Amino acid sequence: LGSVLHVAAHPDDENTQLITYMARGRGYRTAYLSVTRGDGGQNEFGPEFDEKLGVARTQELLAARRLDGGRQFFTRAIDFGFSKTPEETLTFWDRRQVLADVVRIIRYFRPDVIVTRFPIPPGSGGHGHHTASGILAVEAFNLAGDPKAFPEQLTQGLTVWQPKRVLWNGGGAGRGGGATLGGPTVRLDIGGSDPVTGEGFGAIANRSRGQHKTQFGLAAGTG
């Protein structure tokens, strides 16, 4: 029926209701690409930090996807805490290496549409990692269909793939909608209920988001 790749910087950045709607409501192949594993973040649930926290947050994302119906991907980017600018972020991440990872995931998953969680400049995601994830998604959108881009991937069994469209999940009126950056907008109602279980997409998304216990504690997903 179609395929969608949602892209952001960290575990818990994803729009779980969008994933739920796309995967369980529309029957699309849907995936979330978290550029990092969140190993530079906080831990509200236990004593693990750094690499051990990254392992825990990886498992939280996999648990979330089992609920909302999406698949989960990562790159090799290391989460290093707060960053003021995307330029700083892309220096620490090794821009070319992480861009290659995003292109590889697009060529492997073959999405029709890419949806970024955060805007590219002149917009800002409020965190260098956030904005950088949008920049990399758009760059990869433009390169994934080019056989001259990362040709070593093509010798490893992948083929070029050009998604049809890249969008920014702007969040609606009052939350930095696309009109703020002067671009066209698409409005989509992602409400409704799962056609099999009858459970509302919002409730499923809340349970999915509730898996991020290291980030939000035991109260995650209860509101």
Side-chain angles (χ1 to χ4, degrees):
L1 297 177
S3 53
V4 180
L5 179 65
H6 189 35
V7 181
H10 310 108
D12 76 66
D13 283 343
E14 76 272 28
N15 184 336
T16 52
Q17 185 152 345
L18 177 67
I19 295 172
T20 302
Y21 171 80
M22 292 292 182
R24 299 182 64 161
R26 299 297 294 268
Y28 297 155
R29 285 192 312 115
T30 306
Y32 174 50
L33 168 56
S34 178
V35 175
T36 75
R37 294 176 185 263
D39 38 306
Q42 62 191 19
N43 189 349
E44 298 290 339
F45 194 67
E48 296 82 12
F49 288 96
D50 302 320
E51 294 91 345
K52 291 182 179 179
L53 178 59
V55 171
R57 297 190 75 187
T58 295
Q59 294 304 313
E60 290 174 345
L61 275 176
L62 294 173
R65 298 295 80 78
R66 287 193 289 270
L67 291 171
D68 58 37
R71 293 183 62 179
Q72 183 62 54
F73 294 104
F74 302 93
T75 77
R76 289 171 286 181
I78 302 299
D79 186 17
F80 58 89
F82 185 79
S83 174
K84 293 183 179 180
T85 68
E87 291 79 15
E88 177 190 48
T89 297
L90 292 169
T91 298
F92 276 93
W93 278 357
D94 186 335
R95 182 176 192 148
R96 182 169 177 80
Q97 174 179 279
V98 180
L99 177 61
D101 289 349
V102 181
V103 169
R104 178 184 294 275
I105 291 160
I106 292 171
R107 287 173 171 172
Y108 172 78
F109 187 66
R110 301 168 76 85
D112 297 310
V113 176
I114 295 173
V115 181
T116 72
R117 190 68 180 97
F118 301 104
I120 63 173
S124 171
H127 185 316
H129 296 183
H130 292 170
T131 306
S133 72
I135 291 171
L136 290 172
V138 172
E139 289 185 358
F141 170 85
N142 290 323
L143 291 174
D146 182 356
K148 295 180 181 179
F150 307 108
E152 69 280 3
Q153 297 178 4
L154 306 182
T155 67
Q156 297 164 359
L158 294 175
T159 58
V160 295
W161 178 258
Q162 181 56 61
K164 296 177 176 63
R165 184 177 293 184
V166 59
L167 305 171
W168 164 42
N169 176 200
R175 294 182 56 194
T180 304
L181 301 182
T185 61
V186 176
R187 294 187 180 275
L188 187 65
D189 181 358
I190 58 176
S193 299
D194 183 279
V196 176
T197 66
E199 185 177 11
F201 295 144
I204 297 170
N206 232 21
R207 289 196 291 116
S208 172
R209 191 160 185 79
Q211 302 307 304
H212 296 299
K213 295 179 176 63
T214 56
Q215 184 71 358
F216 303 117
L218 287 174
T222 60

